[in-house]
Amino acid sequence: MSHSLIASTMFALMMLLMMTGQRVFAAIGAVAAVAALALWGTGGADIPFTAAMKLMNWYPLLTLPMFIFMGYILSESRIADDLYQMFHVWMGPIHGGLAIGTIGLMVLVSAMNGLSVAGMAIGATIALPELLRRGYDKRMVTGVVQAGSSLGILVPPSVVLVLYAMIARQPVGQLWLAGIVPGLIMAALFILYIAVRCRLQPELGPVLPKEERQVSSAEKLRLLRAGLLPVGIFAVMMVPFVNGWTSLVESSALGALAAMVAAILKGRMNKTVFENSLRNTLGISCMFMWIILAALGFGAVFDGLGAVKAIDNLFTEQLGLSPWVILILMQLSFLVMGTFLDDTAMLVIVAPLYVPLVQALGFDLIWYGVLYTITTQIAYMTPPFGYNLFLMRAMAPPDISLRDIYSSILPFVLVMVLALTIIMIFPQLALWLPNYVYNP
């Protein structure tokens, strides 16, 4: 068999195992192990060993459990509730104000926990019932919660960008900084859409009743202080890092420590909160480590077969496609895979193929990491089988149907496509901040 045929067979077997419902790391690792032993005999056993050593020696990986723990402490101690109460009072007097506040909530939640699922859970349990009770259109608010949760893997500390950094061998700090401006641009576009839509159709987002708007200035300031606590935690974590006073790992430890101190000072730290946070952190961290280990092994086999060079030759030499056409086709493939895979699975499946190919085509891998995160979130929310659509259905009240969820997300998907297009046309929007910090 030719190397190209072996690589194609490996990819097909991996996809087949995925479709049977096997765990991501098991499907990828099994195919890599069988292929390595079949190709190189007992010497193939060195591949998983080398991958494990590479994983254990990757110092920035220590940030992963730190940030996950920080997010769970803030979530379990209900500090996110204070955030929503702040937006409720400050944004309530304008049409669509609570929906706009929900986007603001999601941005800050993303800075607390780099997982989009966490943002979805907080939005669906805190914001969605309140918005529906206030008379907001159910399709509008369902789309708002789903769109806002998409910011979770773009705004730092993004866990998915940590995985991308490991697989693509890129600095985590630069990737996080690259995600800040695109994440804020996307949030601003969401807010602009909500404001314009609710201005044209006021019934979609009614203002807060007058009696609820009559809050004293002292109370507003109190809520502002309570709501901005997560911003302070984020500043404690990121300001020393951006200024070069701490390393990335040290900043992650500062963030976790600041979250614990905040929960203690607010009187919300107890055994249950601490234990739940530790258990969830351990479970998610171990899951990601197994996935990275499997992906490194799979990528090593692919590199050994020269599959990336074969694909590069197919696209550029045999088909004569330009680098930009190839890049767009790669992004479209994410939209297809997103109908049945989550962002982590997509990353570890295509990274051995796409990352070296992107580099060979002359594109910046930091910039491409931002494109990847945006595209996978679009795939998550694209009917008929978007991952987030069914997650939303599981969390939404019974009176919100799957049809409502499908129709609610389409305008926000178009907004995200616009944001993706802007970042593709103007790469410096993503690259300016990391270049400023790392190459002043």
Side-chain angles (χ1 to χ4, degrees), residues 329-351:
L329 290 175
M330 291 161 67
Q331 299 304 97
L332 291 176
S333 71
F334 282 131
L335 298 181
V336 175
M337 286 189 289
T339 61
F340 59 93
L341 295 172
D342 64 18
D343 51 0
T344 307
M346 280 189 277
L347 177 60
V348 296
I349 287 172
V350 303

Side-chain angles (χ1 to χ4, degrees), residues 76 83 108 156 190 197 256 283 315 330 342 413:
E76 293 286 336
L83 273 174
L108 294 178
F190 287 153
R197 183 87 186 273
F315 284 137
M330 291 161 67
D342 64 18
V413 166

